[in-house]
Amino acid sequence: MSSFSEEQEALVVKSWGSMKKDAGEWGLKFFLKIFEIAPSAKKMFSFLKDSNVPLDQNPKLKIHAKSVLVMTCEAAVQLRKAGKVVVRDSTLKKIGATHFKYGVADEHFEVTKYALLETINEASPEMWSVEMKNAWGEAYDQLVSAIKTEMK
């Protein structure tokens, strides 16, 4: 487990602080970016399969997108303090099992990382820097590593 510095933590906390109040909106933008990059990813979400509702208006997608963004950001914020990803074990096991069931592969995590970084950049352009990108990238990589450990 690589170390997450105090500076990285500060960047993550600061940018998440600016996004938090609109987490639902940013979560939806995050997922719309994923589907823009990889349209086939929509098939991995059971609640989107038979839906005729436009993605940006789908209430189930909005709820899911917000919960994923909040969990990712909250895990990132706690990374340095805890020294590891902090998500309840039961939640992590469930996430791992679900990702395994739907065949989530490395390239899916890469697309998601790119979409996450783009969304954070869009949400806080005045704060965005190479250091911030690297801090979020590190936090995301550690969360993915914890999820992959449970993918069985």
Side-chain angles (χ1 to χ4, degrees):
M1 186 68 59
S2 60
S3 62
F4 194 65
S5 73
E6 208 170 319
E7 291 77 22
Q8 287 177 309
E9 178 189 48
L11 290 167
V12 165
V13 169
K14 186 178 178 186
S15 52
W16 174 229
S18 75
M19 294 170 66
K20 206 177 204 171
K21 67 182 181 309
D22 298 318
E25 181 188 326
W26 290 116
L28 187 59
K29 285 184 180 196
F30 168 42
F31 269 78
L32 293 175
K33 283 183 195 303
I34 292 171
F35 299 143
E36 189 181 310
I37 298 163
S40 64
K42 284 180 241 164
K43 289 190 232 105
M44 300 178 111
F45 296 88
S46 56
F47 58 81
L48 294 179
K49 280 200 177 111
D50 299 315
S51 174
N52 296 324
V53 180
L55 287 173
D56 63 343
Q57 294 167 25
N58 186 303
K60 289 181 179 171
L61 178 60
K62 284 181 178 181
I63 291 165
H64 180 74
K66 180 179 181 178
S67 71
V68 170
L69 183 70
V70 169
M71 186 199 67
T72 302
C73 296
E74 292 294 341
V77 165
Q78 297 173 41
L79 200 53
R80 195 182 74 83
K81 212 178 308 163
K84 64 181 174 59
V85 171
V86 179
V87 177
R88 282 199 333 264
D89 281 349
S90 60
T91 303
L92 209 51
K93 283 187 187 342
K94 186 177 170 197
I95 292 167
T98 302
H99 282 72
F100 180 76
K101 176 181 166 187
Y102 288 103
V104 175
D106 288 350
E107 53 269 22
H108 298 118
F109 285 116
E110 284 306 308
V111 165
T112 303
K113 179 180 182 176
Y114 178 81
L116 177 70
L117 295 175
E118 287 292 302
T119 302
I120 295 164
N121 181 359
E122 198 181 311
S124 48
E126 70 291 342
M127 291 182 225
W128 191 249
S129 64
V130 171
E131 293 79 15
M132 183 174 283
K133 179 182 179 181
N134 291 341
W136 276 106
E138 176 63 30
Y140 177 81
D141 290 347
Q142 290 195 32
L143 179 60
V144 167
S145 177
I147 290 170
K148 284 182 178 178
T149 300
E150 298 297 337
M151 284 177 71
K152 39 187 166 326

